[in-house]
Amino acid sequence: MSAHSPQPAMSNSSQPTSSWRRYIKMPHTFVLLVILTLLAAALTYLVPSGEFERAKDPTSGKTLVVPNSYHAVEGDPVSLLEVPKAIVKGLIDSSDIVFFIFIIGGAFQVITATGTIEAVTSRVAKTFSKRGILIIPVFLGLFSVGGFTMGMSSEVMVFVPLGIAIARSLGYDALTGTAMVSLGASVGFTAGLLNPFNVGLAQVIAEVPMFSGMWLRAILLITLLAITSWYIIRYARKVKKTPQASIVRNLEESTTEQKLDLHSLPALEAKHILTVITIIASFALLIWGVSKKDWWMEELSALFLTMGIVSGFCAKFGPSRIASEFVKGASAITYGAFIIGIARSILIVLEQGNVIDTVVFGLSDAVGHLHGSIQVLGMYFFQTVMNVFITSGTGLAATTMPIMVPLADLLGVTRQTSVLAFQMGDGFTNMILPTSSALMGSLAVSGITYQQWFRFMWPLMLMWVITGAVFVLIGHAIAY
């Protein structure tokens, strides 16, 4: 699967662009992220510096915030001259994910060169040629399992090329293929039926039985899957009927992939079967390693590097051919890999300026002054806002739940409801924040720009957030 680097938007017209249009058009993604980094630097001058005390919790083994321990500290604002250094540090701190993406791009290019994806997806296309739309809820449901069991988030990017290949073979676009994979994992992660990384840790901190209250989370999962399936299916049908309606039509027009002809399917050869076996074995090993052995980027990178090399040998490629294809795939994904490092600089600036804890303290204090049912909505939106600054589910739980639990007790909100507010606030916005490695990694692999994804995603995100508000109110009303 070949990923394509989006190019900066340029006018196709030979006529000069008016000066006002030149300045109001959407900036390049790199420019947008640098602007956000500069705004973060400005906040370090405007927001008072402060921090909470932290202590290791013997039950969870995590370092948690000590409630009522917030105190002011000496300010350390980030100057304009330090911003470039923060960007470089962001690339360094994100190096595991950045190189993981390079390896994914290289490995899948080797697999693409074997012809396996075309041979397999063409048969999938023929099978679903009359009812191909069913593949969308099937994929969403399948990847939601990975999300609500082992907390699949960044790992989902390795499946995006397969989703795109299948979507294109059915007459849809790369956006449909990316969405039916990444949003499935996101929905599962947010519902968190058995997710130890967000719900599990939050419940331990809240001192309620781990994974208790699963019935309401199961209803949440079904609701989110139904909403998301409807939204993607609606878009996919529009694209299939009118390809020009595709949000990523520039990507579809520039792709070098050949459209599959259902009437002249390539034969499945031994090399394709061996490659499929290699891929299945690798994904099975991925699931086992992440869920049982706490594998992360280093192990996963090594796994996919091996998968690419073995797949090349299955197709009787020589070492030089494998290396050549690998470099081709990795180079095509450079644009997206850099996005992740630059986005990381936003958090680095806020952490260096000691303002994240101040934001947490200020928002939690504001929630405490709300009235009635608005208080539980305030807790939910507090978690949603904090996810902008702390995109790690584990990190957000460790930072905010020790504050939210005593606040919930004070406000008469059940602790289970406070966990529900946390998990939805933590999960929903991961699919629209440019600081989310799960999102930016998937976009890097797919070649979709952030601006294109935002255009597609914001209506669905609004539906998700409203759904979350309804569930929080229900939880509060029934003393969940």
Side-chain angles (χ1 to χ4, degrees), residues 110 114 116 269-279 306-318 322:
V110 174
T114 68
T116 301
E269 303 175 14
K271 65 177 183 179
H272 299 144
I273 295 173
L274 290 174
T275 302
V276 168
I277 292 173
T278 300
I279 294 172
T306 304
M307 182 185 73
I309 294 172
V310 172
S311 296
F313 284 132
C314 288
K316 299 181 180 179
F317 290 172
I322 293 173

Side-chain angles (χ1 to χ4, degrees), residues 152-218:
M152 177 182 285
S153 55
S154 298
E155 305 94 322
V156 78
M157 70 182 75
V158 304
F159 298 93
V160 167
L162 294 176
I164 292 175
I166 291 175
R168 281 176 170 160
S169 71
L170 296 171
Y172 311 134
D173 61 3
L175 190 53
T176 302
T178 302
M180 68 188 193
V181 172
S182 60
L183 296 187
S186 178
V187 163
F189 182 92
T190 302
L193 273 67
L194 297 168
N195 186 349
F197 302 107
N198 63 351
V199 171
L201 177 58
Q203 288 184 323
V204 168
I205 297 171
E207 298 179 338
V208 297
M210 185 176 286
F211 304 133
S212 58
M214 192 180 300
W215 67 271
L216 186 58
R217 296 199 300 279

Side-chain angles (χ1 to χ4, degrees), residues 364-391:
S364 61
D365 185 61
V367 169
H369 287 86
L370 297 176
H371 300 284
S373 296
I374 299 177
Q375 291 174 330
V376 72
L377 288 177
M379 295 176 67
Y380 167 52
F381 287 111
F382 162 77
Q383 297 287 9
T384 302
V385 172
M386 285 312 306
N387 195 46
V388 175
F389 302 96
I390 308 172
T391 54

Side-chain angles (χ1 to χ4, degrees), residues 91-104:
L91 287 164
I92 294 172
D93 287 0
S94 306
S95 59
D96 55 349
I97 298 177
V98 169
F99 282 101
F100 181 45
I101 289 174
F102 279 135
I103 289 172
I104 290 174

Side-chain angles (χ1 to χ4, degrees), residues 250-441:
N250 63 321
L251 181 62
E252 297 304 307
E253 291 168 357
S254 64
T255 182
T256 57
E257 292 184 12
Q258 298 296 318
K259 297 297 182 181
L260 297 172
D261 182 1
L262 300 182
H263 300 289
S264 58
L265 302 177
L268 265 178
E269 303 175 14
K271 65 177 183 179
H272 299 144
I273 295 173
L274 290 174
T275 302
V276 168
I277 292 173
T278 300
I279 294 172
I280 292 174
S282 298
F283 285 163
L285 194 57
L286 178 149
I287 294 171
W288 173 80
V290 171
S291 60
K292 300 295 184 181
K293 297 296 181 180
D294 296 324
W295 282 9
W296 192 228
M297 290 301 170
E298 184 176 345
E299 294 84 0
L300 297 183
S301 296
L303 173 63
F304 282 94
L305 177 61
T306 304
M307 182 185 73
I309 294 172
V310 172
S311 296
F313 284 132
C314 288
K316 299 181 180 179
F317 290 172
S320 294
R321 171 73 187 279
I322 293 173
S324 177
E325 295 291 345
F326 186 91
V327 170
K328 179 181 176 182
S331 61
I333 217 163
T334 303
Y335 167 85
F338 268 90
I339 287 177
I340 294 172
I342 297 175
R344 173 67 182 166
S345 66
I346 300 169
L347 302 181
I348 288 174
V349 166
L350 293 173
E351 290 171 354
Q352 183 177 327
N354 294 321
V355 298
I356 285 186
D357 283 1
T358 301
V359 174
V360 174
F361 174 75
L363 289 174
S364 61
D365 185 61
V367 169
H369 287 86
L370 297 176
H371 300 284
S373 296
I374 299 177
Q375 291 174 330
V376 72
L377 288 177
M379 295 176 67
Y380 167 52
F381 287 111
F382 162 77
Q383 297 287 9
T384 302
V385 172
M386 285 312 306
N387 195 46
V388 175
F389 302 96
I390 308 172
T391 54
S392 164
T394 302
L396 186 63
T399 302
T400 63
M401 286 307 296
I403 301 168
M404 286 293 101
V405 168
L407 181 61
D409 292 342
L410 181 65
L411 299 178
V413 176
T414 67
R415 294 189 174 190
Q416 195 76 271
T417 302
S418 72
V419 172
L420 183 67
F422 155 76
Q423 71 186 76
M424 292 188 296
D426 168 52
F428 287 144
T429 52
N430 285 334
M431 281 292 102
I432 207 165
L433 293 175
T435 51
S436 167
S437 60
L439 169 61
M440 302 313 288

